[in-house]
Amino acid sequence: MNTDTSGPPPDRETGSGAGLLRVHPDGTASPGSRIFGLVLVVAIGLFLALALAISPPDSGSQASENEMGEMVRIMYIHVPVANACYLAFLVTAVGSAMYLWKKTEGWDLLAAASAEVGVLFTALTLITGSIWGHIAWGTWWEWDARLTSTLLMLVVYLGYLALRRAVLDPVVRAKRAAIVGLIAFANVPIVHYSVNWWRSLHQQSTISRFDPTIDGLKLLALLFGMLVGVALYVWLMIHRFRLQYAEAQLESKGLDVALAERRAEAAADGAPRGGSLVGPKGTN
Amino acid sequence: MALLLASQPNEWAYVASAYGIVIAAIAIYAAWTIVRGRKVGRQVPPERRRWM
C-alpha cells in the first residue's frame, strides 16, 4: 500500500476513471470523452455493417435514378465526410466571428481546431469523390464546378492554417485568422449549391430535398453515416480543442518566461548602462 | 452510367479503398492528436487543464 503522501497527486499518476474509462493523466481525454469514444466505436461498427453488408446494391427493381450498383456504398462515406467538413468550417466561421466580437481566446482556439479537422474531412471528401468518379465518370478528376470549388475550399483553409503558423504574436494571429476564417466561409455555400447553379458532372443533392433519390436501407445507411460523421467530428474536436488549448497555455507560459528573462536582462544591464551615461555627462 | 458501372468487375476494390483510406486517415489523425495531447499536456500544470 502506498503511504507516501509527498509524491504527485493520484490523478497525476493514474488519471481519472477506472477500467475502460481510465484516461491518461496528461492526455486530452476525460471520462466523458472516453464514454463518447466507446459509443462512437460501436456506432462506427454498426455503420460499417449497414453500409457494406446489410444495405443492398443500387441495382435491380429498387435502384435509384443513378443506378450506382455497389459503388453506392462510397456515397455512404463520401456524403458524411463532406457534411462534416461543412460543419467544421461553419464552426470555424462562428468561432472567428465570436472572437472578433468578444476577443476571447477560446473562440480563436475553437476556430483553429475546427479548421484543421475540416481540412482533413475536405481532403477525404475529394479522395472518396475521386474514387467514385473514376468508376462513374471514367476519370479521377474533372474541372467541374463542385470539384473545383471544393479544391479551392481545401486550399483556402490550408492557407488559414498556414497563416496561423506564420504569425507569432497570439493576438495579431487570432485577429488575422478570424478575418480569413470568416471570408473563407463564403466559399462553403458556393460548394454546396454549385451543382444547382452550374452544369455539373456531379450528381445533385441526394437527400436534401423532399423526394430523396434513394430509399429504404440505402437511405438509412446514408443518414446513419451522416450521424456518425457528425459524432466523429465532435469527438475529434473535443480532443483537438483541448490540444489547442494546452498548446496555447504552453505558448503563454513560454512568453511569460521570455518576458521575465528580458526583464531580468534589462535590469542587469540597467546599472552599467546608467553608469556609462553618467560618465560622459560628467566629463562634459 | 449503369452500363459503365456494370462493365467494372472490381467495384468492391474501389469501395474498400474508399473506406480504407477514410478509416486509416481518421485513425492516424486521432492517434496523432492524442499522442501530441499527452506530450503537450505533460508540460502544462494539471490545474490549467480544465477538463481533468
Side-chain angles (χ1 to χ4, degrees):
Chain A
M1 191 176 175
N2 184 15
T3 53
D4 181 15
T5 54
S6 61
D11 67 321
R12 203 52 198 161
E13 282 188 341
T14 60
S16 50
L20 271 177
L21 299 182
R22 174 171 290 180
V23 295
H24 193 280
D26 297 323
T28 48
S30 57
S33 72
R34 179 59 59 90
I35 293 170
F36 185 24
L38 291 172
V39 171
L40 192 55
V41 167
V42 174
I44 290 171
L46 283 173
F47 164 68
L48 290 176
L50 184 60
L52 297 175
I54 299 170
S55 68
D58 188 29
S59 56
S61 59
Q62 291 185 331
S64 70
E65 63 189 38
N66 294 309
E67 272 201 80
M68 291 183 272
E70 298 291 353
M71 296 301 285
V72 74
R73 301 182 197 283
I74 293 180
M75 290 299 104
Y76 306 149
I77 203 161
H78 172 72
V79 176
V81 292
N83 263 9
C85 83
Y86 290 163
L87 175 63
F89 295 145
L90 175 67
V91 171
T92 296
V94 170
S96 300
M98 290 304 288
Y99 176 78
L100 290 174
W101 183 26
K102 299 279 187 187
K103 302 279 186 251
T104 312
E105 185 191 32
W107 289 112
D108 175 55
L109 301 180
L110 180 75
S114 193
E116 191 179 284
V117 178
V119 162
L120 171 72
F121 280 114
T122 309
L124 292 174
T125 303
L126 285 171
I127 291 168
T128 51
S130 182
I131 291 171
W132 188 86
H134 184 64
I135 289 285
W137 306 332
T139 177
W140 293 105
W141 183 261
E142 191 67 38
W143 291 101
D144 160 272
R146 170 62 71 85
L147 276 66
T148 307
S149 56
T150 308
L151 180 64
L152 182 67
M153 184 167 75
L154 176 66
V155 171
V156 166
Y157 280 96
L158 281 172
Y160 171 90
L161 294 177
L163 171 74
R164 297 194 65 90
R165 287 180 177 271
V167 182
L168 289 178
D169 185 309
V171 177
V172 176
R173 175 178 58 214
K175 191 176 175 183
R176 289 182 186 172
I179 293 166
V180 174
L182 267 180
I183 294 171
F185 187 71
N187 192 33
V188 174
I190 296 174
V191 172
H192 185 68
Y193 290 108
S194 58
V195 288
N196 301 332
W197 292 344
W198 294 287
R199 283 169 61 87
S200 174
L201 262 179
H202 195 284
Q203 70 185 74
Q204 296 213 337
S205 304
T206 306
I207 53 168
S208 59
R209 54 189 196 186
F210 292 112
D211 56 336
T213 57
I214 58 171
D215 54 14
L217 281 170
K218 286 177 279 185
L219 183 60
L220 181 66
L222 186 57
L223 291 175
F224 189 58
M226 288 167 74
L227 186 68
V228 170
V230 170
L232 191 56
Y233 162 76
V234 172
W235 185 84
L236 284 171
M237 270 300 289
I238 290 169
H239 287 272
R240 190 62 189 87
F241 176 77
R242 287 171 178 174
L243 169 59
Q244 195 81 24
Y245 180 81
E247 283 175 336
Q249 295 290 312
L250 204 59
E251 189 182 41
S252 69
K253 194 176 141 195
L255 282 174
D256 289 347
V257 170
L259 274 172
E261 282 174 356
R262 289 289 297 149
R263 286 196 188 107
E265 280 173 20
D269 293 347
R273 198 182 291 150
S276 65
L277 283 174
V278 170
K281 204 175 179 181
T283 55
N284 283 339
Chain B
M1 184 184 287
L3 280 175
L4 184 60
L5 287 171
S7 68
Q8 300 292 332
N10 55 350
E11 286 178 7
W12 273 104
Y14 288 93
V15 173
S17 304
Y19 279 75
I21 289 168
V22 170
I23 291 168
I26 291 174
I28 289 168
Y29 181 73
W32 174 82
T33 304
I34 287 167
V35 169
R36 180 150 175 77
R38 287 178 185 177
K39 200 175 159 188
V40 175
R42 208 168 288 139
Q43 301 168 68
V44 177
E47 65 273 12
R48 299 186 83 171
R49 283 182 282 133
R50 289 190 245 166
W51 58 89
M52 288 302 291

